[in-house]
């Protein structure tokens, strides 16, 4: 009886607590606030400039300082003023009238020109029977070409495009508070389009909605119909047929066959000819450089690289003199269709499934969870200019096993003076027929563009709030303190040249963000009317970690440097020792360079996204400069050493002369041999300890996942397939998270990165078998001693 009474009492207490929490969410902050929705302000860092090293002419020609002050526009805000008509009826039908007034230029797909192209004719002549006359094409081959071309594209239907734009406009206004676009970015793209070269937009891929949103944005800005290169795996046959009529492009399955397949040769020839005709007609093309959301695989899309390779080859053979490449990114407060588990690929999206997903999203928006969106169009640059300049920046490279394994095992202490070669994206489709040099050009160009897209992406309010709650206040924070921390982190982000995707009244903005994250945070009312924001423990922390990863590029250099300093101090002073004790230690510049290089080699290339034209040594100097600029490191003058403030002209060392990259600033031109006499200390400012820990924790989910993967080696069941072993590791990470509460590293994406990194490092070996490629534990790491060395090497960078 007492147990029943106690259970009833606990149930009533939980219901009262849940009721209080619900009332807090519904009543806001308990005070009267202005109805201010987050929007983008006018005065922001202008981001998205192209690389001055690889494309100096484009950097100068397509930019003017006046475009920085043009501000933003909301592309889904359509009013009576956006139409030619006026009146009360127009105000109710403005969406429909606006869609009718959109200029849709004719998009002529020329099947006959594709048939008459040189590449297709060469393939057909090899298939033609001996008795066929010159210029005669067998009907069977003609039908095959038409079938492949029909799978690739169909002429866009103007009526469907107008109807679809009207539907999309209504849906977007229901889903989002706004879709912001910088007018200066749009002016640069228009200027590039007027030059006569075709536009090729290369975008990140956060949501399946990207392929609908971007064509709508360009159509609304008067750039015509955007041809979207869709991934066939994400769409059902019915949806593919509809998207083709709206301008979508789909690579035929025969194009991915082997080089010795006759069907594959014909399909690739047709695709090459169709892309060439598309570029000649001047129609803009959209290619996604990232894998679709929910797909297991590397970050860089193999299909996106194949499409980019088709454009590169069309320019190289002279079909079009040049093409203007535009890095694009879309950022959301919350991705509308983000899957709960990104490890398992979602099923192909069907027409009815898509409609149901939209209805579910609209239902969530009716509850007040509408989000903000920011579209980023970076500065266009010339593909031909990049191809000429980039080939001079190719140096020697080594595998991760050659670079790190001797150091991990204690067999060597010298870091090789070369770059890391790490390619996780397989070469597929039309890219198979390219020369090795052209394949390398496409891979590095795609990484360069993805780096530009990420650098121009705005940091949304949800990323800042998730980072603060996860890495600074996981045990809880008062709302008044959270407001100050939010303002501080926003300023730090802007100071690093990254834009933010919000502005408005601070208190209303933070409340809007917390309402979007209410599934993962709880609000508790405390004394004096303040609110306590507490992160809900459990797997929801993984979602916050994914949101916080959007902020990592802004602080990546400092985070790498802080973890390198942490590794240097790990063997000298206790990690839990006082900050003053750690500040006594002298840190030489050579030791810092070495630790930064080791960490750069360990971290996946997909995470770092370093520009291929930038060497690792130049990045080491950039990391050191950032640590000094943010006040964490202070130069320590030693007798006989050159003063840190001495910027006199110096001789360039032989080690630096061969480096193919970099803007040689004063710090970059320093002789690395003279760095032995330079020392630094940790700053003793009051804010430095917390900021140092904050920077270290930004990389802690990935590094802890790697360390736990090393600890899992003796427990893993090998041999196994790659996906099977990844499942084993993921289950281990989740079980460990249940014990220690560190759910941030229990992520499927981190498990995949750990398995692939260990494969490149030589810890795991992939061998063929009748059942397919299987992973085996390498003989070198079969001993427990070497496994512990690997774990210790990784944990030296982890901050507790």
């Amino acid at each position: 009886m007492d147990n029943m009474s106690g259970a009833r009492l606990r149930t009533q207490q939980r219901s009262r607590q849940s009721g209080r929490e619900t009332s807090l969410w519904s009543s806001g902050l308990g005070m009267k606030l202005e109805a201010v929705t987050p929007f983008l302000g006018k005065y922001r860092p202008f981001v998205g400039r192209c690389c001055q090293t690889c494309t100096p002419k484009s950097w100068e020609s397509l930019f003017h300082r006046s475009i920085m002050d043009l501000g933003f526009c909301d592309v889904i805000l359509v009013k009576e003023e956006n139409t030619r008509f006026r009146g009360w009826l127009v105000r109710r039908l403005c969406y429909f009238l606006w869609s009718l007034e959109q200029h849709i230029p004719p998009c002529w797909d020329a099947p006959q020109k594709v048939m008459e192209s040189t590449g297709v004719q060469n393939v057909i002549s090899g298939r033609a029977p001996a008795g066929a006359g010159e210029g005669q094409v067998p009907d069977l081959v003609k039908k095959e070409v038409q079938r492949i071309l029909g799978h690739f594209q169909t002429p866009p239907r103007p009526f469907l495009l107008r109807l679809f734009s009207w539907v999309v406009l209504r849906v977007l206004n229901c889903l989002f508070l706004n879709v912001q676009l910088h007018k200066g970015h749009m002016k640069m793209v228009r200027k590039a389009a007027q030059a006569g070269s075709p536009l090729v937009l290369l975008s990140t891929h956060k949501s399946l909605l990207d392929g609908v949103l971007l064509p709508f944005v360009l159509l609304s800005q008067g750039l015509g119909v955007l041809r979207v290169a869709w991934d066939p795996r994400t769409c059902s046959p019915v949806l593919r047929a509809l998207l083709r009529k709206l301008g979508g492009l789909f690579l035929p399955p025969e194009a991915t066959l082997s080089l010795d397949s006759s069907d594959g040769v014909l399909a690739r020839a047709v695709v090459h000819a169709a892309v060439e005709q598309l570029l000649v007609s001047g129609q803009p093309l959209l290619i996604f450089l990232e894998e679709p959301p929910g797909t297991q695989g590397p970050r860089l899309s193999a299909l996106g690289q194949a499409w980019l390779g088709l454009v590169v080859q069309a320019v190289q053979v002279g079909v079009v003199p040049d093409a203007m490449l535009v890095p694009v990114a879309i950022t959301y407060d919350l991705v509308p269709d983000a899957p709960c588990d990104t490890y398992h690929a979602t099923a192909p999206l069907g027409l009815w499934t898509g409609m149901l997903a939209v209805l579910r999203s609209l239902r969530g928006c009716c509850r007040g969870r509408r989000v903000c969106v920011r579209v980023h169009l970076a500065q266009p640059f010339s593909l031909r200019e990049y191809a000429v300049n980039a080939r001079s920046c190719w140096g020697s490279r080594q595998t991760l096993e050659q670079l790190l394994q001797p150091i991990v095992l204690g067999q060597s202490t010298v870091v090789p003076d070369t770059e890391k070669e790490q390619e996780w994206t397989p070469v597929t489709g039309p890219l198979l027929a390219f020369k090795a040099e052209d394949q390398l050009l496409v891979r590095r160009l795609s990484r360069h563009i993805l780096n530009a897209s990420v650098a121009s992406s705005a940091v949304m309010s949800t990323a800042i709030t998730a980072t603060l709650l996860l890495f600074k206040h996981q045990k809880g924070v008062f709302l008044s303190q959270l407001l100050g921390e939010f303002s501080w982190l926003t300023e730090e982000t802007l100071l690093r040249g990254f834009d933010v995707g919000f502005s408005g009244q601070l208190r209303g903005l933070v409340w809007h963000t917390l309402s979007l994250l209410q599934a993962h945070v709880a609000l508790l009312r405390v004394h004096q009317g303040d609110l306590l924001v507490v992160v809900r423990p459990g797997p929801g922390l993984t979602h916050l970690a994914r949101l916080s990863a959007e902020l990592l590029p802004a602080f990546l250099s400092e985070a790498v440097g802080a973890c390198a300093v942490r590794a240097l101090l790990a063997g000298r002073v206790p990690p839990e020792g006082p900050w003053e004790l750690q500040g006594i230690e002298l840190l030489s510049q050579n030791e810092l360079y070495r630790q930064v290089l080791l960490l750069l080699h360990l971290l996946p290339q997909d995470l770092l996204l370093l520009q291929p034209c930038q060497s690792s040594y130049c990045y080491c100097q950039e990391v050191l400069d950032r640590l000094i600029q943010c006040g964490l490191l202070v130069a320590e003058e030693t007798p006989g050493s050159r003063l840190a403030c001495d910027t006199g002209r110096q001789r360039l060392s032989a080690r630096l002369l061969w480096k193919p990259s970099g803007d040689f600033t004063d710090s970059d031109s320093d002789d690395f041999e003279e760095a032995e006499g330079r020392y630094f200390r940790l700053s003793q400012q009051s804010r430095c300890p917390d900021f140092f820990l904050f920077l270290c924790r930004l990389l802690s989910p990935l590094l802890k996942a790697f360390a736990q993967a090393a600890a899992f080696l003796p427990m893993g069941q090998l041999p196994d397939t790659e996906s099977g072993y990844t499942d084993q590791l993921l289950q281990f990470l989740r079980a460990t998270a249940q014990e220690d509460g560190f759910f941030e590293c229990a992520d499927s994406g981190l498990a995949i990165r750990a398995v692939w990194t260990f494969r490149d490092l030589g810890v795991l070996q992939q061998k063929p078998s009748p059942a397919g490629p299987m992973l085996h534990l390498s003989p070198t790491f079969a001993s427990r001693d070497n496994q512990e060395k690997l774990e210790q090497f990784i944990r030296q960078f982890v901050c507790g």
Side-chain angles (χ1 to χ4, degrees):
M1 192 68 177
D2 293 338
N3 293 336
M4 294 178 61
S5 301
R8 186 180 298 110
L9 180 60
R10 286 192 297 271
T11 302
Q12 292 174 355
Q13 290 175 348
R14 282 197 299 268
S15 62
R16 285 197 297 268
Q17 181 180 357
S18 177
R20 286 196 299 268
E21 184 178 328
T22 304
S23 64
L24 286 175
W25 286 115
S26 60
S27 62
L29 297 177
M31 58 186 69
K32 186 176 181 180
L33 293 176
E34 298 179 11
V36 178
T37 55
F39 64 97
L40 290 173
K42 182 177 180 180
Y43 302 102
R44 300 291 187 202
F46 191 83
V47 296
R49 298 296 302 275
C50 62
C51 179
Q52 193 174 9
T53 302
C54 300
T55 54
K57 294 181 180 178
S58 301
W59 190 84
E60 293 178 357
S61 61
L62 295 174
F63 175 79
H64 192 271
R65 289 191 176 275
S66 61
I67 68 176
M68 300 172 58
D69 301 327
L70 294 179
F72 297 89
C73 65
D74 185 1
V75 296
I76 63 173
L77 182 61
V78 175
K79 297 181 179 180
E80 177 186 3
E81 293 76 13
N82 300 106
T83 67
R84 294 179 299 164
F85 309 99
R86 297 294 182 268
W88 67 270
L89 185 59
V90 175
R91 287 192 288 273
R92 286 155 179 78
L93 299 176
C94 57
Y95 287 1
F96 180 73
L97 295 174
W98 174 87
S99 62
L100 291 179
E101 292 180 357
Q102 294 306 302
H103 174 64
I104 299 179
C107 302
W108 301 108
D109 295 320
Q112 189 62 31
K113 291 184 178 180
V114 172
M115 186 75 69
E116 296 172 355
S117 66
T118 305
V120 175
Q121 286 297 319
N122 291 338
V123 176
I124 291 176
S125 62
R127 286 192 173 193
E134 184 178 356
Q136 295 180 0
V137 181
D139 292 338
L140 186 61
V141 178
K142 277 186 177 181
K143 292 181 180 178
E144 181 67 14
V145 172
Q146 291 174 356
R147 184 192 65 80
I148 295 174
L149 195 57
H151 191 284
F152 179 79
Q153 65 180 0
T154 57
R157 308 293 175 84
F159 172 75
L160 277 179
L161 285 170
R162 297 184 191 280
L163 178 63
F164 192 70
S165 64
W166 172 68
V167 174
V168 168
L169 181 58
R170 296 196 66 88
V171 172
L172 293 181
N173 273 278
C174 295
L175 286 177
F176 305 128
L177 285 172
N178 49 53
V179 178
Q180 296 288 343
L181 175 68
H182 197 285
K183 297 177 184 178
H185 293 164
M186 200 65 239
K187 187 173 182 179
M188 287 193 300
V189 174
R190 285 199 186 97
K191 186 177 180 181
Q194 292 170 359
S197 299
L199 288 179
V200 180
L201 287 78
L202 299 119
S203 175
T204 58
H205 205 3
K206 303 299 182 186
S207 166
L208 294 177
L209 197 61
D210 296 346
V212 176
L213 181 59
L214 279 174
F216 172 81
V217 170
L218 262 70
L219 181 64
S220 67
Q221 299 301 309
L223 287 180
V225 179
L226 181 63
R227 309 302 296 270
V228 183
W230 288 91
D231 189 340
R233 297 171 299 173
T234 61
C235 306
S236 67
V238 177
L239 187 57
R240 285 202 296 266
L242 175 62
L243 292 175
R244 285 194 199 96
K245 295 178 181 179
L246 296 172
L249 305 174
F250 291 90
L251 206 63
E254 295 87 354
T256 60
L257 297 177
S258 59
L259 294 179
D260 55 356
S261 171
S262 59
D263 293 335
V265 172
L266 178 61
R268 282 189 286 271
V270 172
V271 169
H272 276 286
V275 171
E276 290 172 359
Q277 292 300 321
L278 183 72
L279 295 175
V280 169
S281 66
Q283 301 177 55
L285 174 64
L286 171 62
I287 300 172
F288 290 109
L289 284 182
E290 285 185 323
E291 286 288 348
T295 302
Q296 177 189 358
R299 183 173 185 178
L300 277 168
S301 168
L303 184 63
Q305 288 188 353
W307 280 100
L308 180 58
L310 294 172
V311 177
V312 170
Q313 191 176 56
V315 174
Q316 286 181 338
V317 300
V319 175
V320 289
D322 199 359
M324 301 304 295
L325 305 183
V326 186
V328 182
I330 303 180
T331 51
Y332 302 85
D333 279 338
L334 288 178
V335 179
D337 54 0
C340 297
D341 190 353
T342 58
Y343 174 60
H344 298 285
T346 56
L349 184 65
L351 188 59
W352 296 110
T353 308
M355 293 176 64
L356 290 175
V358 170
L359 291 176
R360 284 196 298 268
S361 300
L362 292 175
R363 182 183 176 185
C365 294
C366 293
R367 299 174 180 174
R369 296 189 60 192
R370 291 198 299 167
V371 301
C372 300
V373 186
R374 174 81 177 273
V375 179
H376 320 264
L377 301 175
Q379 183 178 6
F381 63 91
S382 167
L383 172 57
R384 183 169 294 279
E385 182 187 10
Y386 177 86
V388 172
N389 295 333
R391 293 182 188 273
S392 62
C393 298
W394 295 354
S396 61
R397 292 175 178 260
Q398 291 184 358
T399 64
L400 185 62
E401 182 177 355
Q402 296 170 328
L403 290 172
L404 273 191
Q405 192 179 103
I407 298 175
V408 171
L409 299 179
Q411 300 170 355
S412 174
T413 58
V414 179
V415 184
D417 187 14
T418 185
E419 305 299 316
K420 177 177 66 173
E421 180 67 31
Q422 187 179 56
E423 294 294 343
W424 287 350
T425 304
V427 177
T428 59
L431 208 58
L432 289 169
F434 284 31
K435 299 178 182 178
E437 185 179 7
D438 293 335
Q439 291 181 6
L440 182 60
L441 173 65
V442 172
R443 289 201 301 266
R444 297 194 176 185
L445 174 59
S446 59
R447 182 172 290 113
H448 206 297
I449 295 174
L450 190 57
N451 171 276
S453 298
V454 172
S456 62
S457 300
V459 178
M460 307 304 283
S461 59
T462 48
I464 291 181
T465 304
T467 303
L468 291 172
L469 294 177
L470 194 62
F471 299 125
K472 293 200 73 175
H473 305 291
Q474 193 166 341
K475 295 182 179 180
V477 57
F478 290 110
L479 182 62
S480 56
Q481 183 182 358
L482 181 61
L483 294 175
E485 296 276 1
F486 186 94
S487 179
W488 161 78
L489 192 52
T490 300
E491 291 178 1
E492 292 289 339
T493 304
L494 294 172
L495 286 174
R496 283 158 178 78
F498 279 75
D499 199 1
V500 293
F502 55 85
S503 69
Q505 197 178 50
L506 178 61
R507 186 176 290 269
L509 176 62
V510 172
W511 180 252
H512 165 81
T513 307
L514 291 176
S515 66
L516 293 177
L517 300 177
Q518 61 180 300
H520 311 290
V521 299
L523 296 184
L524 303 177
R525 191 182 296 278
V526 294
H527 63 282
Q528 297 179 353
D530 204 349
L531 293 178
L532 182 66
V533 183
V534 181
V535 178
R536 300 180 190 271
L541 294 174
T542 306
H543 181 74
L544 293 180
R546 292 172 188 163
L547 289 175
S548 65
E550 302 295 328
L551 184 67
L552 181 59
F555 294 87
L556 183 59
S557 298
E558 291 95 328
V560 169
C563 291
V565 172
R566 166 69 179 82
L568 273 180
L569 295 175
R572 304 182 185 181
V573 295
E576 64 277 1
W579 182 259
E580 293 78 9
L581 180 61
Q582 300 183 28
I584 297 176
E585 296 293 328
L586 284 177
L587 308 174
S588 72
Q589 185 167 328
N590 273 351
E591 290 176 330
L592 286 171
Y593 280 159
R594 182 179 182 276
Q595 292 298 328
V596 171
L597 276 176
L598 292 178
L599 185 54
L600 286 180
H601 292 331
L602 177 64
L603 294 176
Q605 195 75 268
D606 281 7
L607 173 72
L608 294 172
L609 286 179
L610 299 182
Q611 292 181 345
C613 60
Q614 184 183 27
S615 68
S616 296
Y617 274 94
C618 288
Y619 189 76
C620 287
Q621 186 59 50
E622 179 184 335
V623 169
L624 185 59
D625 290 344
R626 290 289 187 91
L627 291 179
I628 296 174
Q629 289 170 6
C630 70
L632 284 179
L633 287 185
V634 178
E636 180 73 14
E637 309 294 352
T638 57
S641 66
R642 187 177 63 87
L643 297 178
C645 59
D646 184 5
T647 58
R649 186 178 181 86
Q650 298 182 48
R651 174 180 57 86
L652 291 177
S653 67
R655 173 181 293 184
L656 194 60
L657 284 175
W658 73 266
K659 296 296 179 185
S661 68
D663 300 324
F664 286 90
T665 61
D666 291 333
S667 59
D668 292 331
S669 62
D670 289 343
D671 195 341
F672 285 97
E673 301 299 333
E674 296 181 7
E676 296 180 359
R678 299 192 197 131
Y679 291 88
F680 301 89
R681 294 183 190 273
L682 287 175
S683 174
Q684 296 301 309
Q685 297 181 22
S686 58
R687 68 175 185 87
C688 287
D690 290 339
F691 190 48
F692 180 80
L693 290 177
F694 170 74
L695 293 175
C696 290
R697 287 169 181 167
L698 289 178
L699 288 173
S700 60
L702 177 67
L703 293 175
K704 284 191 176 182
F706 280 16
Q708 292 186 17
F712 177 68
L713 288 175
M715 295 176 278
Q717 301 297 321
L718 289 173
D720 197 357
T721 62
E722 185 179 281
S723 60
Y725 187 72
T726 304
D727 276 329
Q728 292 185 46
L729 177 58
L730 183 59
Q731 295 301 322
F732 174 76
L733 293 177
R734 288 173 175 171
T736 306
Q738 293 290 344
E739 298 175 1
D740 58 17
F742 197 83
F743 287 91
E744 297 90 309
C745 65
D747 184 79
S748 54
L750 299 183
I752 296 172
R753 285 177 172 177
V755 171
W756 288 348
T757 301
F758 282 13
R759 183 190 60 194
D760 294 344
L761 188 56
V763 180
L764 301 173
Q765 294 180 347
Q766 197 168 40
K767 299 179 180 179
S769 71
M774 303 289 286
L775 286 180
H776 297 256
L777 187 63
S778 69
T780 305
F781 287 90
S783 67
R784 183 59 183 161
D785 184 41
N786 286 343
Q787 293 174 4
E788 291 178 351
K789 289 180 180 179
L790 175 63
E791 185 177 357
Q792 291 172 2
F793 173 79
I794 299 173
R795 288 198 180 276
Q796 68 176 331
F797 300 104
V798 180
C799 184

